Amino acid sequence: MTETELVELKEFLKLAKIIEHQMKELADFTLEINQKYEKRLAEIRVAKKLQASGIE
């Protein structure tokens, strides 16, 4: 392997690590949004059940 190829591989590895980190951040962000969405849906369901029961 030439010195140039080694430098290119190191740069590729560096970029891959950056992309992996960004993907993890995106996954965490997506999970957070999903949890808020699920919580809001549960709140709406409870409110509808209470309203249907005549309790507000």
Side-chain angles (χ1 to χ4, degrees):
M1 183 174 294
T2 68
E3 187 67 29
T4 303
E5 289 174 328
L6 186 58
V7 169
E8 288 175 351
L9 282 175
K10 285 181 181 179
E11 186 64 25
F12 180 73
L13 179 59
K14 181 180 174 183
L15 290 172
K17 287 180 180 181
I18 290 169
I19 291 169
E20 180 182 25
H21 179 73
Q22 289 175 336
M23 289 176 64
K24 184 184 180 320
E25 286 180 346
L26 180 59
D28 291 344
F29 180 67
T30 302
L31 180 61
E32 182 181 334
I33 290 171
N34 187 55
Q35 288 172 341
K36 288 179 181 179
Y37 171 77
E38 291 295 331
K39 180 182 176 190
R40 184 65 184 132
L41 280 178
E43 290 170 350
I44 290 169
R45 286 187 201 110
V46 169
K48 283 184 179 181
K49 285 182 181 180
L50 291 174
Q51 189 176 30
S53 300
I55 304 171
E56 293 186 27

